[in-house]
């Protein structure tokens, strides 16, 4: 009787255990995670997306800007590639530096070997600008290896086709600056080295790219044609290939017949492609998504599958200028390309990896409430959150770069900060912002994507791609 009275007087405590046993509803995210099972089938296709310079702060700020641009809450918005089932971190240091450049950054991913900064497709025995050492230290790329096994291969970039990241699919040089014969040192020519543009065009059929879309027309044609080359017109060499197509604008790209095109070269600018902010889907420049769609359409004709490297170079190019608006806009452009690739392929047989070659010194600082523009001043519901001197400050800033403001500069305004041409302030004045050395994110789906979790070396991405493609 006594125990019954105690229970009645403490009814809440007596009932509590029973109430706690009721299962909580599962979120869609948890349901998806619980249903997730590793895919251990052979990868017929591999698509490697590189957000050049896209560190985790670029992903976060890019996500917020993408959401705000669409009129929704940026903080809770989700980029398409953030929804890929497996995520990890990649360590990007090079053979000689804490902080890598794009050359070693991509080379480690495409060859499985870290090299020195500025070198591509060679091992760490190479000496900078030394032709002989690069010939001895040559390492085959994942694109070359898979092409030799029968797959189609391609590259897509908003940079020039001979820039460091796209060159990581086909190039072998001790200096990323060897982009045309006009930029190749005389000693290197005498020692038997050739420039990156020639390496791309003259590669043996068993290793040559089937699709290459980007910029750098000037490095493929002669001075007489308005280019840089001193020897000959390399586009003529390309056009002589069986089933080859050469395009120079969006209209030409849209007109490509994927079923009859065997090899496709697109040169849409003399150098890098302009930011999408500046052409806004108008005029002759295709978007990264449009180039990706065409590349997949052409490469998919191969019965044995394909390998495709897609680079959003503009993230890095504009971070170097401390222009966060254009850099972060291109995070969204990369995401659109990833979304297109997911729609055009089957996750059952296509390994998709989204990562970066290195990070940048962009920081997202405290102060703003979530209703404020990510690119604007730090504000709490419209009221400035100043620095300790009482001056307006920004939500986004850089560690280094040309945005450093001289002492005595006038206070920042919201209109100034929201201008597409604004250069976010930097702590250390530099002519060009420096890369940052923290680990970068990796997002993956498809065959053996489950291996890309935890913290791994950048070279591990090569191992996973090679293993997934060769699995029997």
């Amino acid at each position: 009787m006594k125990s019954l009275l105690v229970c009645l007087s403490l009814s809440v405590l007596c009932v509590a255990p029973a109430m706690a046993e009721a299962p909580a509803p599962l979120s869609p995210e948890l349901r998806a995670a619980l249903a997730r099972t590793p895919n251990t089938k052979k990868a017929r296709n591999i698509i490697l997306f590189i957000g050049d310079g896209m560190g985790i702060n670029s992903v976060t700020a890019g996500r917020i800007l993408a959401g705000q641009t669409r009129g929704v809450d940026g903080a809770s918005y989700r980029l398409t590639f953030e929804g890929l089932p497996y995520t990890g971190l990649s360590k990007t240091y090079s053979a000689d530096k804490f902080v890598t450049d794009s050359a070693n950054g991509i080379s480690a991913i495409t060859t499985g070997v870290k090299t020195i900064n500025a070198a591509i497709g060679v091992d760490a025995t190479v000496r900078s600008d030394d032709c002989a050492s690069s010939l001895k230290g040559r390492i085959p790329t994942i694109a070359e290896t898979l092409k030799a096994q029968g797959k189609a291969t391609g590259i897509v970039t908003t940079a020039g086709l001979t820039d460091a990241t796209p060159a990581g699919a086909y190039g072998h040089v001790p200096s990323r600056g060897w982009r045309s014969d006009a930029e190749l040192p005389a000693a290197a020519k005498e020692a038997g080295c050739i420039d990156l543009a020639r390496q791309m065009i003259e590669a043996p059929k068993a290793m040559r790219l089937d699709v290459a879309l980007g910029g750098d027309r000037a490095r493929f044609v002669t001075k007489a044609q308005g280019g840089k080359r001193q020897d000959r017109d390399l586009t003529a060499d390309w056009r002589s290939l069986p089933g080859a197509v050469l395009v120079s604008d969006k209209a030409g790209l849209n007109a490509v017949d994927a079923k009859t095109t065997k090899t496709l070269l697109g040169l849409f600018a003399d150098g890098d492609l302009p930011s999408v902010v500046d052409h806004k889907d108008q005029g002759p420049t295709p978007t990264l998504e449009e180039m990706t769609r065409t590349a997949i359409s052409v490469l998919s004709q191969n019965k044995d599958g394909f390998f495709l490297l897609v680079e959003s170079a503009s993230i890095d190019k504009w971070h170097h200028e401390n222009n966060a608006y254009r850099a972060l806009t291109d995070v969204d452009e990369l995401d659109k390309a990833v979304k297109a690739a997911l729609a055009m392929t089957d996750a059952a047989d296509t390994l998709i990896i989204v990562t970066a070659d290195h990070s940048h010194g962009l920081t997202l600082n405290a102060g703003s409430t979530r209703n404020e523009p990510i690119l604007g001043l730090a504000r709490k519901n419209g009221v400035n959150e100043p620095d300790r001197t009482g001056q307006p400050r920004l939500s986004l800033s850089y560690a280094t770069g040309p945005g450093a403001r001289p002492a005595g500069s006038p206070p920042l305004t919201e209109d100034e900060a929201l201008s597409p041409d604004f250069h976010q302030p930097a702590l250390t004045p530099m002519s060009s912002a420096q890369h940052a050395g923290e680990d970068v994110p990796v997002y993956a789906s498809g065959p053996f994507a489950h291996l890309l979790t935890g913290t791994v070396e950048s070279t591990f991405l090569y191992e996973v791609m090679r293993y997934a493609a060769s699995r029997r």
Side-chain angles (χ1 to χ4, degrees), residues 61-328:
R63 169 205 308 146
I64 295 172
L65 180 61
Q68 291 183 341
T69 299
R70 290 164 173 79
V72 300
D73 174 51
S76 60
Y77 183 76
R78 197 176 203 185
L79 297 166
T80 298
F81 63 73
E82 292 182 292
L84 298 184
Y86 298 100
T87 305
L89 293 170
S90 170
K91 298 162 68 175
T92 63
Y93 66 90
S94 69
D96 62 336
K97 297 287 183 69
F98 288 128
V99 181
T100 190
D101 76 326
S102 291
N104 165 74
I106 189 61
S107 192
I109 296 171
T110 57
T111 69
V113 177
K114 288 182 187 280
T115 186
I116 63 173
N117 278 12
I120 302 171
V122 291
D123 63 28
T125 65
V126 70
R127 296 182 297 276
S128 181
D129 294 317
D130 183 81
C131 173
S133 65
S134 68
L135 294 175
K136 292 179 181 178
R138 180 186 176 109
I139 304 290
T141 73
I142 186 71
E144 292 171 331
T145 299
L146 296 183
K147 179 63 183 287
Q149 294 177 1
K151 294 188 184 297
T153 58
I155 54 176
V156 169
T157 180
T158 56
L161 291 172
T162 65
D163 206 357
T165 300
Y170 66 86
H172 305 273
V173 290
S175 173
R176 58 184 289 180
W178 294 5
R179 299 173 66 172
S180 71
D181 63 335
E183 297 160 293
L184 191 64
K189 294 179 182 178
E190 294 173 3
C193 283
I194 62 174
D195 61 89
L196 286 167
R198 276 188 63 190
Q199 288 187 35
M200 193 189 93
I201 298 293
E202 296 180 2
K205 182 180 179 181
M207 294 191 298
R208 188 172 57 238
L209 296 171
D210 300 285
V211 173
L213 303 175
D216 258 0
R217 177 182 178 274
R219 290 183 167 90
F220 289 85
V221 299
T222 65
K223 290 183 177 180
Q225 298 168 290
K228 294 177 178 287
R229 298 205 67 83
Q230 299 169 338
D231 51 6
R232 69 183 191 279
D233 175 11
L234 295 182
T235 64
D237 294 4
W238 183 277
R239 287 194 298 268
S240 69
L241 300 173
V245 172
L246 173 66
V247 295
S248 59
D249 56 25
K250 182 189 291 190
L253 186 70
N254 291 339
V256 169
D257 185 343
K259 294 183 179 180
T260 60
T261 301
K262 302 299 182 184
T263 53
L264 174 63
L265 174 62
L267 296 170
F268 306 110
D270 283 341
D272 299 331
L273 273 59
S275 168
V276 69
V277 170
D278 301 309
H279 64 79
K280 297 183 185 301
D281 298 331
Q282 303 296 317
T285 307
T287 64
L288 187 67
E289 177 189 353
E290 290 166 340
M291 292 189 289
T292 300
R293 285 184 178 278
T294 299
I296 292 175
S297 295
V298 173
L299 296 173
S300 294
Q301 304 304 312
N302 187 294
K303 63 179 179 61
D304 295 317
F306 64 86
F307 169 85
L308 176 63
L309 167 62
V310 179
E311 181 204 20
S312 169
S314 299
I315 300 172
D316 174 74
K317 304 295 184 186
W318 293 105
H319 273 328
H320 277 298
E321 297 293 323
N322 290 162
N323 182 223
Y325 178 62
R326 285 178 174 81
L328 299 180

Side-chain angles (χ1 to χ4, degrees), residues 19 174 362 463:
M19 293 176 62
L362 176 73
E463 293 186 67

Side-chain angles (χ1 to χ4, degrees), residues 36-79:
R36 190 176 299 151
T37 56
N39 178 349
T40 57
K41 297 178 180 179
K42 182 176 181 178
R44 180 175 184 272
N45 310 312
I46 297 176
I47 307 177
L48 172 63
F49 286 94
I50 299 291
D52 201 309
M54 191 180 70
I56 195 65
N57 271 342
S58 294
V59 174
T60 303
R63 169 205 308 146
I64 295 172
L65 180 61
Q68 291 183 341
T69 299
R70 290 164 173 79
V72 300
D73 174 51
S76 60
Y77 183 76
R78 197 176 203 185
L79 297 166

Side-chain angles (χ1 to χ4, degrees), residues 321-391:
E321 297 293 323
N322 290 162
N323 182 223
Y325 178 62
R326 285 178 174 81
L328 299 180
T329 294
D330 231 65
V331 173
D332 196 14
E333 290 299 298
L334 176 69
D335 196 54
K336 292 174 184 176
V338 174
K339 185 176 182 179
L342 288 168
M344 296 179 70
T345 58
D346 186 346
D349 66 3
T350 301
L351 172 61
I352 291 181
I353 299 173
V354 183
T355 188
D357 48 354
H358 57 76
S359 184
H360 257 283
L362 176 73
T363 60
L364 172 56
N365 308 299
S368 279
T369 45
R370 281 167 56 173
N371 59 313
E372 297 293 339
I374 186 66
L375 293 168
L377 298 177
R379 288 181 166 183
K380 183 178 180 180
N381 298 320
V383 179
N384 285 354
E385 291 282 298
D387 64 20
R388 68 178 184 178
T389 70
Q391 296 299 305

